[in-house]
Amino acid sequence: MAGKQALNIVKLKKMKQDGTPIAMITAYDYPSAQLAEEAGADMLLVGDSLGNVVLGYDTTIPVTLDDMVHHSRAVARGAQHTFIVTDMPFMTYHGSVEETLKNVRRLMQEGHAHAVKMEGGAEIALAVQAIVQAGVPVLGHIGLTPQSVNQIGGYRIQGKDAQDARRLLEDAKALERAGAFGIVLELVTEEVAEAISKELSIPTIGIGAGRGCDGQVLVFHDVLKYTPDYRDKRFVKTYADIGTQIRSGISEYVREVKTRAFPAQEHVFAAEDGVLETLYGKGKVETKA
C-alpha cells in the first residue's frame, strides 16, 4: 500500500484520546497480510490462533516459537506498511527474564514483528516491564486467555460478577503500569470492558467484549468463513463466505479435469512447425486433434 505510514504506539494512544476506533485483524501468511493491509487495517495480529485455523490443533497450546517466527516473517513480507503484533506462544515468557528476552528477540529479529502480545494480568507484569525496558512494545491480553483454557475451565465469559470484574480491572491497571501500550479484552462482558477502557490511558482492543472498547480485533478466518467446518460465534460478524467459494471452485476444477474439459485450447501452447519431426524423424507424425 504505497504511501501508507504504519501506526506506532504513540499514534495508537492518540487514536484513543481522539475517539478514533482501531481496526485490527489477524493474519498468518503473506497473502492474508497483503490483503488486510490493502483493505486498510490499522494493525495486524499474528496470533497463536494460527494453531487452530492454520495448523489444525484444538487449542493454541501446541504452537511453538518457531511457528510464530515463521508466520510472523511471512506476514511482515506481505504488510510492509502496517503495525504488526506477534503473539508470544505458550510458556515462552514464564521463565527467567533472560529466557523471556531471548524469545522476544527472536520474534523481533527473525519474525520482524513491531510488538509482541502476552496473555495474563498482574502475574506477568514483571515480564512485561522487562520487555518494555528492553525497547519492545507489549500488547497485553486479559479476559479469556486461550493459553490458560485448561486452567480457567474452557471458553467462558469473563467479568460476569463483581469479584471477577475487580480482578480484570486490577490486571488491566497492572499491565498499564508495567508499560503495555494497549490491552486486548477477550470475551469480557460489555459493561466491564467499557469500564476498564474508561479507566485506562492506553487503548483496549475488544474481541467479544462489546462496544465500549477503543478498537476491535477478529480472526481472519472468522471474518471470511475461511474454513470447511465454520461454526457461528455470537461475537463474530462474517463479511464474506470465502470457504464456500473455495470449495465450489475446486470442485469445478476437479470436475473439468475428470471430464477433460480442462485444459482447453486456450490453456495450451503450440510448438513451432517441424518440432515433432525433429523428435521422431521424417515421415508422418500423428497428433491428436
Side-chain angles (χ1 to χ4, degrees):
M1 195 170 182
K4 177 183 175 183
Q5 289 188 336
L7 289 177
N8 54 46
I9 61 176
V10 175
K11 292 178 182 177
L12 287 167
K13 190 170 183 178
K14 189 174 188 304
M15 289 178 76
K16 176 185 177 76
Q17 294 169 347
D18 294 343
T20 304
I22 301 164
M24 188 180 198
I25 190 169
T26 65
Y28 308 104
D29 56 21
Y30 177 85
S32 63
Q34 191 170 44
L35 290 169
E37 178 172 270
E38 291 174 356
D42 294 315
M43 289 198 293
L44 297 183
L45 172 63
V46 187
D48 59 0
S49 49
L50 67 88
N52 304 91
V53 298
V54 176
L55 302 181
Y57 298 131
D58 292 331
T59 71
T60 63
I61 292 173
V63 176
T64 67
L65 190 64
D66 285 340
D67 291 332
M68 297 309 302
V69 168
H70 175 81
H71 287 271
S72 182
R73 188 164 51 220
V75 168
R77 287 194 292 266
Q80 298 182 25
H81 306 285
T82 304
F83 192 75
I84 297 169
V85 181
T86 299
D87 265 331
M88 295 196 68
F90 180 68
M91 293 297 291
T92 57
Y93 49 97
H94 295 86
S96 67
V97 171
E98 181 181 1
E99 186 68 22
T100 295
L101 292 179
K102 178 181 177 182
N103 294 333
V104 171
R105 182 178 63 196
R106 288 199 62 199
L107 291 179
M108 302 296 287
Q109 290 186 328
E110 299 175 43
H112 305 299
H114 301 119
V116 298
K117 181 168 76 64
M118 303 165 62
E119 294 183 10
E123 73 279 7
I124 66 163
L126 290 178
V128 171
Q129 185 176 30
I131 295 170
V132 172
Q133 288 177 346
V136 177
V138 174
L139 180 64
H141 182 160
I142 62 174
L144 174 70
T145 48
Q147 291 177 15
S148 305
V149 65
N150 291 328
Q151 184 180 34
I152 62 180
Y155 297 93
R156 299 167 55 242
I157 307 299
Q158 307 292 301
K160 280 191 166 186
D161 56 47
Q163 180 180 356
D164 205 28
R166 283 193 298 270
R167 175 186 62 82
L168 289 169
L169 179 57
E170 290 169 1
D171 281 341
K173 288 187 172 182
L175 292 172
E176 181 180 39
R177 287 192 300 269
F181 73 86
I183 300 175
V184 170
L185 302 177
E186 182 169 358
L187 287 190
V188 175
T189 57
E190 183 173 61
E191 298 86 350
V192 172
E194 183 173 4
I196 291 173
S197 299
K198 289 179 178 178
E199 283 285 327
L200 302 179
S201 63
I202 58 177
T204 58
I205 311 293
I207 176 167
R211 297 159 287 187
C213 296
D214 301 302
Q216 300 291 330
V217 61
L218 284 177
V219 170
F220 185 92
H221 293 60
D222 285 344
V223 169
L224 302 175
K225 282 193 177 182
Y226 183 19
T227 175
D229 54 355
Y230 183 78
R231 289 175 290 182
D232 289 327
K233 305 175 184 68
R234 178 172 176 175
F235 60 91
V236 170
K237 180 178 180 180
T238 57
Y239 291 83
D241 187 355
I242 301 303
T244 296
Q245 293 184 41
I246 290 174
R247 186 185 303 107
S248 176
I250 295 175
S251 295
E252 183 64 7
Y253 160 71
V254 170
R255 186 192 68 79
E256 289 202 353
V257 169
K258 297 292 187 181
T259 60
R260 297 192 181 278
F262 177 83
Q265 179 65 38
E266 62 267 28
H267 305 120
V268 301
F269 305 94
E272 295 179 357
D273 291 342
V275 167
L276 292 183
E277 292 180 356
T278 65
L279 292 176
Y280 298 106
K282 294 183 179 181
K284 184 178 180 181
V285 178
E286 294 185 1
T287 59
K288 292 184 179 180

